[in-house]
Amino acid sequence: GSSNGDEIEQWILELEKKINQRNFHKLFKAIGRIGKGGFASVHLAERLRDGKHIAVKAFSKETQFKS
């Protein structure tokens, strides 16, 4: 079988295809902000392939990297 490290690497590669802010605008159309909290804001977006409306949570880089 494969080692645990290989399995983790495979998960990372698959998730990078799905969770990638650079590709966001190729897959979704942002409609507007629907909420905001201390660490993130929530936006309404339309998935371009089928027109379905979804909520997207966007985390602030500033709060993510503070120690």
PDB file of all heavy atoms in Angstrom, residues 1 6 13 18 30 40 50 62-63 67:
ATOM      1  N   GLY A   1       0.825  -1.196   0.000  1.00  0.00           N
ATOM      2  CA  GLY A   1       0.000   0.000   0.000  1.00  0.00           C
ATOM      3  C   GLY A   1       0.857   1.243   0.000  1.00  0.00           C
ATOM      4  O   GLY A   1       2.068   1.213   0.123  1.00  0.00           O
ATOM      5  N   ASP A   6       2.153   9.788   1.247  1.00  0.00           N
ATOM      6  CA  ASP A   6       1.668   9.796  -0.137  1.00  0.00           C
ATOM      7  C   ASP A   6       0.175  10.086  -0.183  1.00  0.00           C
ATOM      8  O   ASP A   6      -0.307  10.810  -1.051  1.00  0.00           O
ATOM      9  CB  ASP A   6       1.941   8.456  -0.814  1.00  0.00           C
ATOM     10  CG  ASP A   6       3.422   8.216  -1.081  1.00  0.00           C
ATOM     11  OD1 ASP A   6       4.195   9.199  -1.102  1.00  0.00           O
ATOM     12  OD2 ASP A   6       3.799   7.053  -1.269  1.00  0.00           O
ATOM     13  N   LEU A  13      -3.242  17.644  -3.355  1.00  0.00           N
ATOM     14  CA  LEU A  13      -3.354  17.907  -4.794  1.00  0.00           C
ATOM     15  C   LEU A  13      -4.814  18.007  -5.232  1.00  0.00           C
ATOM     16  O   LEU A  13      -5.177  18.871  -6.034  1.00  0.00           O
ATOM     17  CB  LEU A  13      -2.634  16.821  -5.590  1.00  0.00           C
ATOM     18  CG  LEU A  13      -1.115  16.800  -5.456  1.00  0.00           C
ATOM     19  CD1 LEU A  13      -0.539  15.556  -6.126  1.00  0.00           C
ATOM     20  CD2 LEU A  13      -0.506  18.066  -6.037  1.00  0.00           C
ATOM     21  N   LYS A  18      -9.914  22.203  -6.010  1.00  0.00           N
ATOM     22  CA  LYS A  18     -11.234  22.662  -5.594  1.00  0.00           C
ATOM     23  C   LYS A  18     -11.187  23.975  -4.824  1.00  0.00           C
ATOM     24  O   LYS A  18     -12.092  24.778  -4.913  1.00  0.00           O
ATOM     25  CB  LYS A  18     -11.893  21.607  -4.686  1.00  0.00           C
ATOM     26  CG  LYS A  18     -11.884  20.218  -5.253  1.00  0.00           C
ATOM     27  CD  LYS A  18     -13.141  19.938  -5.996  1.00  0.00           C
ATOM     28  CE  LYS A  18     -13.206  18.509  -6.435  1.00  0.00           C
ATOM     29  NZ  LYS A  18     -13.137  18.318  -7.842  1.00  0.00           N
ATOM     30  N   ALA A  30     -19.364  36.467  -8.243  1.00  0.00           N
ATOM     31  CA  ALA A  30     -19.684  37.052  -6.946  1.00  0.00           C
ATOM     32  C   ALA A  30     -20.877  37.987  -7.096  1.00  0.00           C
ATOM     33  O   ALA A  30     -20.936  38.793  -8.020  1.00  0.00           O
ATOM     34  CB  ALA A  30     -18.484  37.809  -6.397  1.00  0.00           C
ATOM     35  N   ALA A  40     -13.806  36.428   9.037  1.00  0.00           N
ATOM     36  CA  ALA A  40     -14.190  36.144   7.652  1.00  0.00           C
ATOM     37  C   ALA A  40     -15.446  36.914   7.273  1.00  0.00           C
ATOM     38  O   ALA A  40     -16.165  37.418   8.132  1.00  0.00           O
ATOM     39  CB  ALA A  40     -14.434  34.644   7.476  1.00  0.00           C
ATOM     40  N   ASP A  50     -24.027  25.992 -13.521  1.00  0.00           N
ATOM     41  CA  ASP A  50     -25.451  25.646 -13.426  1.00  0.00           C
ATOM     42  C   ASP A  50     -26.325  26.757 -12.858  1.00  0.00           C
ATOM     43  O   ASP A  50     -27.527  26.578 -12.707  1.00  0.00           O
ATOM     44  CB  ASP A  50     -25.635  24.364 -12.602  1.00  0.00           C
ATOM     45  CG  ASP A  50     -25.141  24.490 -11.174  1.00  0.00           C
ATOM     46  OD1 ASP A  50     -24.729  25.602 -10.765  1.00  0.00           O
ATOM     47  OD2 ASP A  50     -25.142  23.470 -10.475  1.00  0.00           O
ATOM     48  N   GLU A  62      -5.027  38.922   6.814  1.00  0.00           N
ATOM     49  CA  GLU A  62      -4.452  39.599   7.989  1.00  0.00           C
ATOM     50  C   GLU A  62      -4.700  38.793   9.255  1.00  0.00           C
ATOM     51  O   GLU A  62      -3.787  38.596  10.044  1.00  0.00           O
ATOM     52  CB  GLU A  62      -5.058  40.988   8.145  1.00  0.00           C
ATOM     53  CG  GLU A  62      -4.518  41.994   7.172  1.00  0.00           C
ATOM     54  CD  GLU A  62      -5.119  43.370   7.408  1.00  0.00           C
ATOM     55  OE1 GLU A  62      -5.618  43.632   8.525  1.00  0.00           O
ATOM     56  OE2 GLU A  62      -5.072  44.191   6.488  1.00  0.00           O
ATOM     57  N   THR A  63      -5.923  38.356   9.478  1.00  0.00           N
ATOM     58  CA  THR A  63      -6.225  37.618  10.714  1.00  0.00           C
ATOM     59  C   THR A  63      -5.643  36.218  10.690  1.00  0.00           C
ATOM     60  O   THR A  63      -5.323  35.677  11.740  1.00  0.00           O
ATOM     61  CB  THR A  63      -7.743  37.543  10.964  1.00  0.00           C
ATOM     62  OG1 THR A  63      -8.374  36.903   9.863  1.00  0.00           O
ATOM     63  CG2 THR A  63      -8.340  38.905  11.176  1.00  0.00           C
ATOM     64  N   SER A  67       0.168  36.398  14.863  1.00  0.00           N
ATOM     65  CA  SER A  67       0.546  35.436  15.895  1.00  0.00           C
ATOM     66  C   SER A  67       0.058  35.892  17.247  1.00  0.00           C
ATOM     67  O   SER A  67      -0.192  36.980  17.517  1.00  0.00           O
ATOM     68  CB  SER A  67       2.037  35.228  15.981  1.00  0.00           C
ATOM     69  OG  SER A  67       2.783  35.742  14.976  1.00  0.00           O
TER      70      SER A  67
END
